[in-house]
Amino acid sequence: MKTLGQFLQSGDWKGEKHVPVIHAPEKVKAGETFELKVSVGDAIGHPNTLEHYISWFKVYFHAEGAKFPVELANFTFTAHGEGENFTEPVGCTSVKLNKSGTIYAQSYCNIHGLWESSQEIVVE
């Protein structure tokens, strides 16, 4: 059986402009709000043109011991040069966690497909 996971690409965001960069602290306090930001092109800029763009980010959290991840955020970028308007691929939200686990971020480039990265986060 084929799965979507076989199409996920990854790499070091410092050398690959499509990999989503997760901006979150490594440690947080249980139940306290922190800022979670996702972007691409932090080290190497990604084009944002009508022909080549990042369409969306999806962000998940998989708590230690949980059966499956939970979607935290979904960011859609819809202006790619129409009428000379552009939406930059950056998403930001506030999050509260009660368990340690892993944050996963996915990005979709209309030309280069699906990309993924992850970050461990410790809840104290």
Side-chain angles (χ1 to χ4, degrees), residues 1-2 17 27 29 37 48 51 58-59 63 66 72-73 96-97 105:
M1 178 173 94
K2 293 184 178 183
K17 62 188 169 195
K27 293 182 180 180
K29 292 188 179 184
K37 178 180 161 186
N48 190 15
E51 297 81 22
K58 289 192 180 287
V59 184
L72 294 179
K96 291 181 190 178
L97 302 175

Side-chain angles (χ1 to χ4, degrees), residues 75-118:
F75 302 104
T76 303
F77 312 106
T78 55
H80 308 291
E82 302 89 346
E84 298 182 31
N85 299 298
F86 295 88
T87 307
E88 289 298 320
V90 176
C92 187
T93 190
S94 295
V95 177
K96 291 181 190 178
L97 302 175
N98 287 308
K99 289 186 176 181
S100 298
T102 306
I103 295 173
Y104 295 92
Q106 296 177 341
S107 62
Y108 178 74
C109 173
N110 71 312
I111 294 177
H112 300 104
L114 290 166
W115 294 81
E116 181 178 62
S117 66
S118 64

Side-chain angles (χ1 to χ4, degrees), residues 8-83:
L8 288 172
Q9 303 172 79
S10 64
D12 183 354
W13 60 266
K14 295 175 184 171
E16 172 52 62
K17 62 188 169 195
H18 295 93
V19 176
V21 182
I22 300 167
H23 302 270
E26 292 180 11
K27 293 182 180 180
V28 298
K29 292 188 179 184
E32 287 193 10
T33 302
F34 66 93
E35 182 178 278
L36 171 65
K37 178 180 161 186
V38 179
S39 58
V40 294
D42 287 23
I44 303 170
H46 186 280
N48 190 15
T49 66
L50 192 56
E51 297 81 22
H52 187 187
Y53 54 85
I54 298 295
S55 184
W56 53 258
F57 295 148
K58 289 192 180 287
V59 184
Y60 302 90
F61 177 69
H62 185 236
E64 289 177 354
K67 186 173 181 178
F68 52 84
V70 173
E71 184 175 333
L72 294 179
N74 182 5
F75 302 104
T76 303
F77 312 106
T78 55
H80 308 291
E82 302 89 346

